[in-house]
Amino acid sequence: MMLSKGLKRKREEEEEEEPEKEALAVDTWWLDPRLPAVAQAPPAVPSNSLLDLSVLKLHHSLRQSEPDLRHLVLLVNTLRRIQASMEPEATLPSVPSPPEAPGVAADSLLASSDAALSASMASLLEDLSHIEGLSQAPQPLVDEGPPGRPSGGAPPGLGALDLLGPATGCLLDDELEGLFEDIDTSMYDSELWAPASEGLKPGPEDGPGKEEGLELDEAQLDYLLDVLVGTQALERPPGPGR
Amino acid sequence: MAISRGLARRTVPEAADIISTVEFNHTGELLATGDKGGRVVIFQREPESKNAPHSQGEYDVYSTFQSHEPEFDYLKSLEIEEKINKIKWLPQQNAAHSLLSTNDKTIKLWKITERDKRPEGYNLKDEEGKLKDLSTVTSLQVPVLKPMDLMVEVSPRRVFANGHTYHINSISVNSDCETYMSADDLRINLWHLAITDRSFNIVDIKPANMEDLTEVITASEFHPHHCNLFVYSSSKGSLRLCDMRAAALCDKHSKLFEEPEDPSNRSFFSEIISSVSDVKFSHSGRYMLTRDYLTVKVWDLNMEARPIETYQVHDYLRSKLCSLYENDCIFDKFECAWNGSDSVIMTGAYNNFFRMFDRNTKRDVTLEASRESSKPRAVLKPRRVCVGGKRRRDDISVDSLDFTKKILHTAWHPAENIIAIAATNNLYIFQDKVNSEMH
């Protein structure tokens, strides 16, 4: 059974960074207060070790099963600051570019970490959004009108579809397609069902609308039933009870 | 101030015993703690009696119950921690006490009642509750209530589930005593205490594109008197005061409290250390108290440009930020507290130290919560951290501070000088005996 618990970061990071300590100049700041610290004399260019440390932390945080959002956001913002001061002319790509090959030469560290970082930050944040969409099965109704008016009674038992309230602020809109990608819906993809872009739940106010949308008329229903009955007759002789 | 030590609990260091929240009720008679194992322990103050002057007003265990259990989120394949993030008491409206407790995802309303009498003398049942043989019943009697040993019963009255996608960091009961709010990293919901299947979203800072996420909600609280006002703090160090009368969705703040960055203190860690970890309204409702990594600040609701007071909690750490970033301590979230008269503020620090600042005299003190340095009824000795230069005998040097011993959770009695300090898995209750005699 796959069970992943959100791990405590502190001890793990200490263990991970043990071998790194000798390479990191930060260690000496801790032991020897005479050395100028980052805060006292903000350097024009931060050391590569600070960047490395931040990237390491970010990747570690990304690997968590359920990343702490505050920790992640603060890390990302700090990294952006570091990167901005290292390359003031370069702009961070707003569109995530595909990450470069893992074996990157040391002299192009900045460029590759920039792209890989943006890509991993972007993909992580997108993942969060996607995962959040999946797990939003039961959620409070988003209130857009005056308080006291929930967005329509939802019959129980519809599960994930319950929460499609008014379109604004509804987080499942994008993920709906993705939710059902792997389910074969060819049986249902026909005129039988009213094509509804929103509000898949049949609330009481949807009554008249539903009838208009449904293209299934009585003739088609009869035909369908005949087919079903006829098919069964073809497959086997009627049982004794029939 | 002479302070004597109260009681501590649990000496075996187990992870599940780590205290994660501490909260006095509105009279201070009860003190609730929540821990990492999902348990709530309630302490009750013994009434002061002249017969036993030594046990004047000490807190004893009143009730213990399991509030939250670990859960499994099947869609994400994740375990939901049972750790209690926050406890908030409801104002008492009848003989029973009620409190809200929350973990990362689910808030529960608990009712605590006392039973000290039981009926005796049933006609149809015997003492054990078994039906009597009717032929043995020759006369009718009226059952009477007889005293019994006090029994405290705790029952879950409401479960407010599935309201949050992200981790709940705060809950706050409204002064109307009918509603409360819960806040996670990106959203704040308003609940009615009697309704569990629906909540109203009143703040939503989730960007349309998660790549644009740069700020999260860190804490929130209702105003103590104005039921339409609440404040929430952010990871960027800003406070937003919102008025629920203005709009249903309070994404537009009524007031934004933000202090401009001090250019001389600028570093790569400026944003992390400016992140507000706790916000508390004063009892008067006129001020707000915030805690960020290195300071506590007092804000006047009428002035948005800057705090009116700033107190340094442990400025000697400013030159160590890089190391604290490395070991993740820079992300620690400390709480803060007002005393009953809003004249003294308190917050925790490292090495089991906690700090108090007197707003009137501008004096501050550092005290330590540990069994080694305080014996029962002894007076706590002020501590000092030295940063080089002359070192006095009992001073601690910055480099010998133990960063694993952090006082994140503290609480102050609503009226008296009694404080509760959570030091990992130990609870310390300190009382100011001298002052209480002087009143």
Side-chain angles (χ1 to χ4, degrees), chain B residues 395-406:
Chain B
D395 285 2
I396 311 261
S397 80
V398 184
D399 299 320
S400 358
L401 290 174
D402 187 345
F403 287 87
T404 62
K405 294 188 180 163
K406 38 195 113 187

Side-chain angles (χ1 to χ4, degrees), chain A residues 10 54 57 77 132 171, chain B residues 165-166 187 214 271 325 328:
Chain A
K10 282 193 199 42
S54 304
K57 278 183 169 310
N77 291 350
E132 179 211 330
L171 305 137
Chain B
T165 306
Y166 303 101
R187 298 191 186 98
T214 58
E271 184 179 318
Y325 177 66
D328 259 358

Side-chain angles (χ1 to χ4, degrees), chain B residues 368-382:
Chain B
E368 185 178 357
S370 75
R371 241 169 294 124
E372 289 78 35
S373 67
S374 55
K375 294 185 171 46
R377 276 165 261 295
V379 173
L380 272 185
K381 193 175 53 175

